[in-house]
Amino acid sequence: MLDVTVIEDPEAAAVSLDPIRARLLAELAAGPASAAMLAGKVGLPRQKVNYHLKALERHGLVELAGERRKGNVTERLMRATAASYVISPLALASVQPDPDRFRDQLSARWLLALGARLVRDVGSLITGAAKARKRLATYALDGEVRFASAAERAAFIEELTAGVSALIRKYDAPGAEGGRDHRIVVAVHPTLKPPSATPETTETPELNP
């Protein structure tokens, strides 16, 4: 089972978003189960569960994990193909975000468009690497920093921009024979606060303009 996989097909995305099928995916991500085992958990007849499982299997979201005999019946044990799923913007190809349409480094919506492109591109790269049975070389850095003031955040952004730009200038080799282009995405956004146990103290997440 994969840790995470990307859904690119629109029909597969629609199948995964159905509440019952999403519940079945969650159950099967926890471990293999038969339609009869799942029926009691989701409160549906076994035949109905089988119908949903076939739809999920048809789109590669679940797979056969094995079979077992139970009385005179052979049960199919199914499992999820991944522990979690991400829907690629390719599933909504005609309306997917295009970060090249406008560029505004201080826009949260442009950041969202960049994030969507990242999901789309990395998802396609993962699919291609899996078909070619090759390892995909990527790198990610994730961390948190608490700024004492808006001025310090602005200073951090300025230094970050200068540092990354200097590295790009240093290592960029447009004419290198056999080289390969790589995309660099750097994002800074406020950390979401966890929901408070008491409604009176719940705070609205800080948003960028």
Side-chain angles (χ1 to χ4, degrees), residues 4-141:
V4 61
T5 194
V6 178
I7 299 173
E8 298 178 329
D9 179 66
E11 292 185 10
V15 165
S16 70
L17 290 172
D18 177 89
I20 294 296
R21 292 168 182 171
R23 171 75 188 281
L24 292 173
L25 277 177
E27 294 289 345
L28 293 174
S34 66
M37 295 164 63
L38 292 167
K41 293 182 178 181
V42 300
L44 289 175
R46 179 179 57 81
Q47 294 86 348
K48 197 74 173 176
V49 171
N50 256 327
Y51 167 78
H52 290 302
L53 288 177
K54 287 179 180 177
L56 291 168
E57 185 179 17
R58 189 162 55 248
H59 292 286
L61 301 175
V62 303
E63 62 187 3
L64 182 66
E67 294 181 336
R68 70 176 185 181
R69 293 286 297 178
K70 191 173 182 181
N72 296 325
V73 178
T74 300
E75 286 188 330
R76 301 176 80 229
L77 295 174
M78 307 301 294
R79 66 183 173 199
T81 54
S84 56
Y85 300 84
V86 175
I87 296 178
S88 169
L90 286 175
L92 291 168
S94 60
V95 291
Q96 64 179 305
D98 180 10
D100 292 328
R101 194 172 297 149
F102 70 97
R103 298 179 67 87
D104 182 354
Q105 290 179 306
L106 300 180
S107 167
R109 297 188 186 278
W110 190 59
L111 174 57
L112 187 63
L114 287 175
R117 184 178 64 187
L118 181 66
V119 170
R120 182 198 68 192
D121 291 353
V122 175
S124 296
L125 288 167
I126 288 174
T127 301
K131 289 180 180 178
R133 296 187 177 182
K134 292 184 178 180
R135 192 172 182 275
L136 180 61
T138 62
Y139 169 78
L141 176 66

